[in-house]
Every structure is written in C-alpha cells, then in structure tokens.
Amino acid sequence: MSNTHADTVLFVRDTMLPQEEPPSSTVGPVGWAKTNLFSGWANTLLTILSILFVAFLLQRLLPWFIAPTWHADSLSECREIFVGIARHHEGACWGVIRDRWQQLMFGFYPSELYWRPILALLLLLVALGPVLFAHLVPSRVMIFSVIYPFILPWLLWGGTVWVSVVTLAGFAVGYGVYKLALRAVPDGFAVIIAAFGTIIWWLYLTGPIANGLASVLPLALEPVASRQFGGFMLSVTIGVVAIACSLPIGIVLALGRRSDLPLVKWLCVGFIEFIRGVPLITLLFVASVLLNIFLPPGTNFDIILRVMIMTTLFASAYMAEVIRGGLAALPKGQYEGADSLGLDYWQAQRLIIMPQALKISIPGIVSTFIGVFKDTTLVSIIGLLDPLGLATAIRADTDWNGIYWELFLFIGVVFFLFCFSMSRYSMYLERKLQTGHR
Amino acid sequence: MTTLSDPPAESFKLSMLVYDTRYRAITFQIIALIAFLTLVGWLANNTIQNLADLGKEPSFGFMFEPAGYDINQRLIDYSSQSSHLRAAFVGLLNTLLVAVLGCITATIVGVIVGVLRLSGNWLIARLMTVYVEMFRNVPVLMWIVLCMAILIESLPAPSAFRGDDPASTMKLFDSVAITNRGVYVPEPLFARGLGDISVFGAFDISLDLIAILLVLGGSIFVSRRIGKKADATQEATGIRPRTWHIRTGVLLLPVIVLLGLLGFHFGYPELKGFNFAGGTHMRNSLIALWLALSLYTAAFIAEIVRAGILAISSGQSEAAAALGLRSNRIMSLVILPQALRVIIPPLISQYLNLTKNSSLAIAVGYMDITGTLMGITLNQTGRELETVLLGMLVYLAISLSISSVMNLYNNRVKLVER
C-alpha cells in the first residue's frame, strides 16, 4: 500500500523552504512602536496626546532651565540678565542655588568645620557597608557600624569625646551585669537586670565619669551649638538616628505585641496604636513644648535631641507593625521546629525566627525608612532650619523674595535622590535574599 | 503492671517564680507592670511638680472662654467672641473637609494612574511611572509649600482684573475668578429658601440642603426599584424593557422642580473695590493643601491599585478572554472585583495617612484643628498640656473611627476561605 503514494501524488517536496523574514511591520522599531504605541485607536490617541504634552513641557522647560543666571546675586539681577538678552519669557534664577547651597546643605554650621559633617557622612557610608552589602565587606567592619552612632554626635556637636566613650561603655557594663546575673537567675531575668544596670549607668554615672575623664585628658573638638545645625545635614542626622534606633525598639515592640503575656501585649498594642493614630506633627509639638514638663524639674535638653526622641518613637511604632507582618508571614512550622530542637524563646528568635522575619519585612522596613526621612521635614514647623525651613527663610530675604521653583526644585531633587536610591536598593536586596521559597 | 497515680503534689516554693515556666510568665508580667507604673508615676509626678512650679493647674475650663481670634475659613458660624471649644470644632470641621475632599480626589487620580501604569501603551506607562516616583520620593510638606508658593506667586492679583483692558479675565463664561487670593466660584443661592434649622443650638444646617438630599434620596430609591423590576422582567422573559429614559426622568425631574420652587440661582463673584465679592471664596491655603495631599496620596494609591491588579493571576483574565469578554469588560467584571479585596486594606491606611498629613495645614495657614487648638489656642492660653493632649485625642478618635468603619467594609467583602 505504501507504494501507492508515489503513484498518486505527483510531486513531493523533499527540501524545506528557507525561513522567511518576519513581516517588516512586526519587528524592529516599527513593530515595537506598533505594538507598544499604536495598537488601536484609543492607544494611538493617548500616545499622540502624551507626545504633545511632553513636547509642550520640554518646549516650556528647556529655555527656562538653561538660563545663564548662575552668577546673579539677587532676583532683580536675574531680571536684568533677561532684559539684557531680550527674552520674551523669564528663565530660572540659578544664582540662588550658588548663593545658598552651602546653607541648604549645612545650615549655619561654621564653614571652617564643614569637614566634620562631611566626614560623618563618609563614615556613615563605611558603617552602612556591612549592613547594605554584606557579601562584599568583611564582617569585622560591623564593629565600626555598632560604634558609629556614638561617633556621629561627637563629630557633629563637638565637645569632649569622653561622653560618647562612657555612653558606649554602658553596653559593656550591661553585658558584664548580664554575665554576672546569669550565675544567679535564668536568661530572661538576667536580660532585665542587665537593662536596669545599663540605664542606671547612663542616667547617673555617665555624666560624672565623663567629666572626670575629660578633666584628666581633654580630647575635645570645637563645640557647635544645635541652633547652628540645619539643611540636609539636620535631616540626615535626625533620619539616621531615628532609623537606627527604631529598628531594635520596633523588634522589641513587635515581639511584645505577639507575646503570650496579656499585660505585655496590651501595653505594646496601646503604644503602637496610639503613636500610629496621631500625626507626627503632634508628637513634635510634644517634643517642643511638653517634653520638658514630663521630665524632672530643671531638665532642659537640646531641641534636636528631643525631636530625635519623638521621631524615634514614631518610627518604631511603624517599624513594629512592619516586623509583626514579617513574623506573621512565617509558617508555623518554623516556630514548632525551633521548639522541637529545644531552643528557648530568645534562642529561637535569634537563630530561626528573626533572620527570616526580617528578610520578609525588608521592603516594609525600607519604605518606613523612606517615610521617616521624608518626615524629617516636619521639624521646620516647630522652627528648626531643615531644608524647607531654610527655603522659607531664603524666600523672605529681600534679595531672593519671590523665588520658589529653583529652590524647591533643588530640595526636591536631593530628596528624590536619597529616597529613590533607597527604594532601588531595597528592590536589589529583595532579589538578592530571594532564596526561592515560593 | 504500672499503677497510674497523680504526680506528687508539689508545695509552692518562691524560687518557682523564677525557674518554673508555669509561674515565670506571671513574674514577668508583674515586673512589666511595676516598671510601667513606675514610669507613669514618674512622668505624672514630674508633670504635677512642673505645673505647680509654673503656677498652672491642669483644667479644661479655658475651653469655654472667648477665643478672641478670627478664623477665615469656616463651615459654621464663628466669631472672635466664640469659645475656644467652638474654635476647635471649626478647626475639626476644616480638617474633615480637606480630608474628605483629598480622599475623593486622591482615589480618582490614583485609580486612573494605577490602571494607566499597567497599560500596554509604553509612553503612557512611563509617564505615569515618572509621576508616581516623583511624588512618592519627595516629602509631602514640600509639595504643600510649593503649591502654596505657586498659587500666591504666579496667579494674577485681583487688581489685574480691573480696567477696560484687564491683564486677566474670569474663566468659564465669567463665572470663576482665579486670583492669588484664592479662587472665587459661583455659590448656590435660593430666592425662596426654607431657612436654617439649629442643631443643639450649636450650629445651623440649611433646610434647603436637607430638602434636596431627601428628594434626591427618594429619586434614587425609586430609580433602583425600576431597575430591579427591569431585572425581574429580564429574568422572566429574556427581554429587558427600556428603562433608562424613565430612570433619568425620575432622577432629575423632582430635583429640578424642587430647585425651581426654591428659586435656585447662582451668585457670581464680582470685582468690587480691591477684591472680589460674592460667590464662594476658596482660599489658597485650602486649594494648596487639597491639591498637594491628593496628588501625593494618589501616587501611593496608584501603586496599591497596580499591585492589586497584578495580584490577580493572569489565568483569570485569560479565562475571561476565552469567554469572549472584551478588555474593559474583563477589567470591570473579573479583575476589579477580585482586586478590590487586595486593594482595600492598604487603601484604608492611605486615607488615614492623608487625614493625618492634613495636620501639615499649619505650614500654609489653613485653620484646621492643629492650627486652631494646637496653634493659636495654645499660644493664647499657654495651656500646652491640655491643648496638645486634646488634639492628639481628636486625631486618635478620627483614626480609630475611620479604620473601624473601613474594617467593617473589609470584613464584608472578604473572600470566604475554605
């Protein structure tokens, strides 16, 4: 039967046709534009409208942007420049940035001491190295990350180094007390006793000991008063301190909220919900007018420190909720596995639960960071000179009265760079830590 | 044979409070309670001591004294002779006003941007990405201050409208005046109005408004009944009766008749002297705050909407396409109803954020509760403790009520899981 084929079929092709090129309208730039820009009448209309919009924006913005006003010393001088080159519309007056960028960066910090905030920022990058790029930086640098929060205030505010050193020594004292207490009581109690010891050290012993050491060996930098702080330096300082302190407090609050002990749980719930229920600005009002009333008579500490305390409390409530989400997302088997290995509560948290929960919560943690950093601008409302506060001051200056786009563009771009890089970094970290559980 | 017997009854020893896990929890809680009470006691003690030193006695009596300051933006009657309490209430209404306006605008803009970000149109998707990243990564306070600066510096002064050849003219058939002192829009007026009704003697509500709302509510009810009846007919016979003209008539006619009876007309703003008179004056502070808050929050809502839509597996839209639905029907019938479940919880928290962010009104001089109670009242009476605590409580109450109402809704639409 098979032979009939050759008889009935007149022609059989025994070679393949060469592949044809795809139609030119489906490949290359034309094809791309057809699928992505002009795939229907609605899309075409949208595309044309957007192109017109972008063209209009560029046509208006570009001449404004490339105005030769870099060397102008006041807004009226800018206007003279525009009259001189006979432009029919105004351009940007970049002189204000040249004139005031140092102020926007450092506030009224003495200019001969600019090296200190700059060094602090560089050291911050070093300190963040092992946290951000754990696989690239040797883990010994981590020690530096731990002591950095104590170097930062000394560099910025100046004064004697011994306050930072003795405060740092509080942790060593706490650890010593913990080891001693461990001989008498179990783990949890030892932690409580150690915390007590550390607090007593900080409250009652740090001042006298630091003073004593400073009188023996004064290792001091020139002190800078808080009212000279300002600009992005202030924002970054408040942001970094709030972020660094809120993470541990947030972890403790999150654990407390998930605790089996009803009293601990309700205290944590009450704190978190209260802080999350009120705007940050009310907490800053507390910092500026009320905190002194809550503290022992005669206590009067720095406004920046008070703001940092309230911002930290604010950030830690949000951080706690983010971490609680991470804890809740862990499968129950992880907790049971830890129990079955015979680990106690803290060991299980440290070795099994927290590393995974924190990993899950990274996007949330970073977005809380970004939020806190943006929220540092609110301090301008209680009179601190952050970039926005300075912008108000500059706009009130007779030289620059009536200027706004250039200033806010500059401030906005700097904020954007900070926040955008943070969010991109969190995406990178998420991808890197993705170990394929899903 | 093993005999089962109860374990020997242990006598309670003090050391068991520390070493026995059954009792340890109690010990920990007692320590926590003592620490907490100590902290509270310490703070209260300090506060009492400090207030005594300052010669102030904590009391809320000052709330009933005359405020002595004026509030330019208000929804209810207020004069400088009114009490601080009423000033705070005016502020609270202003907070709620900007919060409601902002939430509505932010939702509309956010949903549009979020859906467009997923559009197949490359250019539109990129433009929306730029919008979202631009607003998300810059502090909201800067947007508020910038909006205010733009409104004040770039808009024409009322004097520019004067003269035979004015530099600027009113928009929309001479009905809207956009000036650097605010926007003047036509206000609804009633020639034969019903007057006001006083509620608890505290504030007045327009009877006209109540009448219009009642009639509108009745019309909507009737219209829905007609729709239900049409549905029933369609179920029974397979043919849907044409009802849209009746429904439109039912919705519009009674209201139009009522408006005619009440003598409804618009009061247009007019240039008188140095400023505009007549019409409703929307102050720059309100517009700047509203605009900035809604654009800022819309960027976050757009991301929430996008994430919600992406969370619906592509199988759903493919199945809908296989049934022959077109893309906008797929979106409205299949994707959105499911995506809403994912979208709503974070959306609630964005509404809360917007409400809390409205406290930044103080930066542009909009008199919300932060500006009245925690601003001028605090400065005039020197009652820091009472005003700030009261303000916090108000915000707490707003936050808790929004979240509880929305949680109720959330529970209703929640997917019933097996």
Side-chain angles (χ1 to χ4, degrees):
Chain A
M1 284 293 277
S2 59
N3 288 340
T4 56
H5 192 71
D7 302 328
T8 51
V9 179
L10 293 176
F11 171 74
V12 175
R13 173 183 287 282
D14 51 6
T15 54
M16 290 292 285
L17 277 173
Q19 274 192 353
E20 288 277 349
E21 288 288 317
S24 66
S25 63
T26 60
V27 289
V30 178
W32 181 87
K34 210 170 169 188
T35 47
N36 288 306
L37 296 177
F38 304 104
S39 60
W41 66 267
N43 258 342
T44 310
L45 189 70
L46 275 178
T47 306
I48 291 171
L49 282 181
S50 347
I51 289 175
L52 285 179
F53 173 72
V54 172
F56 171 76
L57 220 58
L58 285 181
Q59 183 236 332
R60 289 290 296 270
L61 277 184
L62 277 181
W64 180 85
F65 204 80
I66 49 173
T69 47
W70 187 248
H71 295 288
D73 281 324
S74 68
L75 191 57
S76 48
E77 212 168 296
C78 280
R79 296 214 171 103
E80 279 164 28
I81 292 175
F82 290 126
V83 171
I85 53 177
R87 248 175 224 270
H88 60 283
H89 58 80
E90 286 192 14
C93 188
W94 296 115
V96 66
I97 306 296
R98 181 195 51 79
D99 192 28
R100 300 300 180 101
W101 72 271
Q102 287 182 324
Q103 217 178 63
L104 285 170
M105 285 296 167
F106 301 106
F108 295 97
Y109 210 81
S111 57
E112 70 276 11
L113 299 178
Y114 278 169
W115 62 272
R116 271 156 53 177
I118 293 173
L119 181 65
L121 188 68
L122 290 178
L123 289 180
L124 173 69
L125 295 180
V126 176
L128 285 178
V131 186
L132 298 186
F133 302 97
H135 59 297
L136 296 178
V137 183
S139 57
R140 262 168 296 151
V141 187
M142 199 74 178
I143 299 168
F144 180 73
S145 311
V146 174
I147 60 172
Y148 177 76
F150 299 90
I151 301 176
L152 175 76
W154 180 56
L155 267 181
L156 290 184
W157 273 274
T160 173
V161 73
W162 292 112
V163 177
S164 296
V165 172
V166 178
T167 312
L168 189 58
F171 287 106
V173 171
Y175 186 71
V177 172
Y178 170 75
K179 280 286 167 196
L180 276 180
L182 213 51
R183 293 182 188 166
V185 288
D187 207 23
F189 287 93
V191 169
I192 294 174
I193 294 171
F196 260 110
T198 317
I199 288 171
I200 287 171
W201 172 269
W202 281 338
L203 284 184
Y204 297 105
L205 297 174
T206 302
I209 293 178
N211 282 340
L213 284 169
S215 59
V216 177
L217 186 66
L219 281 173
L221 285 173
E222 189 182 327
V224 179
S226 284
R227 62 172 185 283
Q228 291 173 296
F229 279 53
F232 281 101
M233 189 189 81
L234 182 67
S235 296
V236 172
T237 312
I238 296 177
V240 165
V241 170
I243 286 163
C245 300
S246 67
L247 195 56
I249 301 178
I251 292 176
V252 171
L253 283 173
L255 289 178
R257 192 167 180 170
R258 288 175 61 83
S259 159
D260 296 331
L261 315 174
L263 187 78
V264 174
K265 183 179 169 185
W266 288 114
L267 283 180
C268 290
V269 169
F271 177 81
I272 293 172
E273 291 304 325
F274 175 74
I275 298 275
R276 276 160 41 96
V278 299
L280 176 59
I281 187 72
T282 58
L283 295 176
L284 292 180
F285 277 139
V286 171
S288 79
V289 297
L290 277 189
L291 211 54
N292 280 344
I293 292 186
F294 290 147
L295 294 176
T299 321
N300 189 11
F301 55 94
D302 196 75
I303 177 72
I304 294 185
L305 189 57
R306 283 183 272 159
V307 165
M308 279 174 178
I309 292 173
M310 294 320 279
T311 321
T312 304
L313 291 183
F314 180 77
S316 43
Y318 284 82
M319 200 64 85
E321 285 300 275
V322 167
I323 292 167
R324 186 171 73 110
L327 288 172
L330 270 196
K332 206 161 168 250
Q334 297 292 327
Y335 293 88
E336 290 165 351
D339 283 346
S340 71
L341 286 177
L343 301 181
D344 70 17
Y345 180 78
W346 293 107
Q347 284 171 326
Q349 293 298 340
R350 188 162 50 87
L351 299 172
I352 295 186
I353 308 299
M354 269 303 149
Q356 300 183 70
L358 288 181
K359 193 168 90 182
I360 300 175
S361 11
I362 281 173
I365 292 176
V366 175
S367 64
T368 314
F369 282 6
I370 296 175
V372 169
F373 183 60
K374 286 190 296 179
D375 281 344
T376 56
T377 51
L378 266 62
V379 300
S380 64
I381 292 181
I382 57 166
L384 293 184
L385 290 175
D386 84 312
L388 287 183
L390 281 167
T392 316
I394 293 171
R395 288 172 60 211
D397 188 326
T398 45
D399 279 351
W400 303 113
N401 199 344
I403 211 157
Y404 53 102
W405 274 117
E406 298 83 353
L407 267 181
F408 288 124
L409 192 68
F410 179 75
I411 297 170
V413 164
V414 177
F415 268 110
F416 183 87
L417 289 180
F418 272 111
C419 299
F420 191 69
S421 47
M422 273 197 258
S423 71
R424 288 295 124 150
Y425 170 76
S426 112
M427 286 167 144
Y428 152 83
L429 201 60
E430 228 177 308
R431 271 198 308 277
K432 202 186 71 171
L433 293 178
Q434 185 70 267
T435 42
H437 280 308
R438 351 196 294 153
Chain B
M1 286 284 278
T2 48
T3 49
L4 286 173
S5 65
D6 286 340
E10 284 179 73
S11 58
F12 180 78
K13 292 195 289 289
L14 211 56
S15 63
M16 282 162 70
L17 279 178
V18 175
Y19 290 105
D20 193 320
T21 45
R22 284 172 298 176
Y23 303 111
R24 208 195 269 178
I26 300 172
T27 324
F28 270 122
Q29 294 198 64
I30 290 172
I31 293 176
L33 184 66
I34 292 172
F36 177 67
L37 288 181
T38 317
L39 184 69
V40 170
W42 183 68
L43 291 178
N45 192 29
N46 288 335
T47 311
I48 292 167
Q49 177 97 46
N50 279 316
L51 287 179
D53 290 351
L54 291 169
K56 290 180 193 169
E57 205 165 303
S59 87
F60 286 94
F62 71 94
M63 289 298 284
F64 302 101
E65 288 161 16
Y69 60 92
D70 215 5
I71 299 177
N72 50 28
Q73 169 93 39
R74 54 181 181 251
L75 293 176
I76 58 170
D77 278 341
Y78 171 85
S79 73
S80 57
Q81 289 309 306
S82 310
S83 65
H84 283 295
L85 185 64
R86 198 174 174 85
F89 192 67
V90 173
L92 175 63
L93 286 183
N94 282 343
T95 296
L96 294 179
L97 172 74
V98 80
V100 169
L101 287 177
C103 285
I104 294 170
T105 324
T107 312
I108 296 170
V109 178
V111 169
I112 293 174
V113 172
V115 171
L116 283 185
R117 243 196 115 173
L118 290 172
S119 120
N121 190 322
W122 182 86
L123 194 59
I124 287 282
R126 288 292 115 59
L127 278 180
M128 293 304 144
T129 311
V130 169
Y131 164 80
V132 168
E133 295 294 349
M134 190 170 91
F135 274 88
R136 277 203 321 169
N137 289 309
V138 173
V140 62
L141 185 60
M142 200 199 96
W143 290 119
I144 295 174
V145 178
L146 179 61
C147 280
M148 189 69 180
I150 294 172
L151 290 180
I152 289 181
E153 306 273 354
S154 71
L155 292 178
S159 59
F161 290 78
R162 199 161 338 114
D164 294 328
D165 184 25
S168 27
T169 49
M170 290 165 71
K171 307 287 181 303
L172 290 178
F173 309 110
D174 269 4
S175 63
V176 178
I178 302 173
T179 76
N180 65 356
R181 293 196 198 168
V183 176
Y184 296 82
V185 294
E187 64 176 333
L189 291 175
F190 299 97
R192 295 178 291 275
L194 297 170
D196 295 333
I197 185 172
S198 173
V199 181
F200 308 126
F203 51 92
D204 298 330
I205 292 182
S206 160
L207 274 179
D208 305 317
L209 187 67
I210 295 178
I212 291 171
L213 286 180
L214 280 180
V215 169
L216 210 58
S219 304
I220 290 173
F221 178 72
V222 173
S223 159
R224 289 184 71 161
R225 284 298 293 273
I226 296 173
K228 286 237 178 75
K229 212 171 156 201
D231 286 345
T233 319
Q234 189 180 15
E235 292 277 316
T237 64
I239 302 161
R240 190 175 179 85
R242 208 155 61 96
T243 57
W244 66 267
H245 53 288
I246 310 175
R247 292 180 72 173
T248 320
V250 167
L251 276 181
L252 291 182
L253 273 181
V255 176
I256 292 172
V257 169
L258 179 72
L259 289 179
L261 283 177
L262 292 173
F264 176 81
H265 63 278
F266 279 114
Y268 291 102
E270 273 174 60
L271 191 60
K272 278 189 183 145
F274 292 105
N275 214 337
F276 278 90
T280 302
H281 181 193
M282 296 173 73
R283 286 178 186 276
N284 277 333
S285 49
L286 171 65
I287 297 176
L289 193 65
W290 176 18
L291 205 65
L293 282 180
S294 22
L295 288 180
Y296 179 79
T297 313
F300 288 86
I301 292 181
E303 285 298 271
I304 292 169
V305 169
R306 189 175 78 110
I309 293 173
L310 285 178
I312 306 305
S313 72
S314 54
Q316 295 282 328
S317 49
E318 282 161 12
L323 288 177
L325 295 179
R326 262 173 275 126
S327 65
N328 53 348
R329 305 282 281 170
I330 294 177
M331 188 52 103
S332 64
L333 293 175
V334 178
I335 307 287
L336 273 187
Q338 301 186 67
L340 274 185
R341 297 203 175 93
V342 186
I343 290 172
I344 281 175
L347 194 63
I348 299 164
S349 73
Q350 284 309 321
Y351 289 163
L352 274 175
N353 279 346
L354 190 147
T355 313
K356 285 188 285 173
N357 280 339
S358 74
S359 60
L360 298 178
I362 199 168
V364 289
Y366 178 73
M367 298 302 277
D368 74 333
I369 187 132
T370 317
T372 55
L373 182 66
M374 285 187 274
I376 306 182
T377 296
L378 187 154
N379 285 332
Q380 288 200 347
T381 59
R383 300 266 177 190
E384 305 95 351
L385 188 67
E386 294 90 337
T387 49
V388 172
L389 283 186
L390 210 58
M392 283 182 148
L393 280 183
V394 169
Y395 276 111
L396 206 56
I398 297 176
S399 304
L400 291 181
S401 40
I402 293 181
S403 61
S404 56
V405 167
M406 288 295 190
N407 277 336
L408 281 182
Y409 174 75
N410 197 18
N411 281 337
R412 248 185 51 190
V413 301
K414 199 165 66 180
L415 199 63
V416 182
E417 282 179 45
R418 284 181 294 272

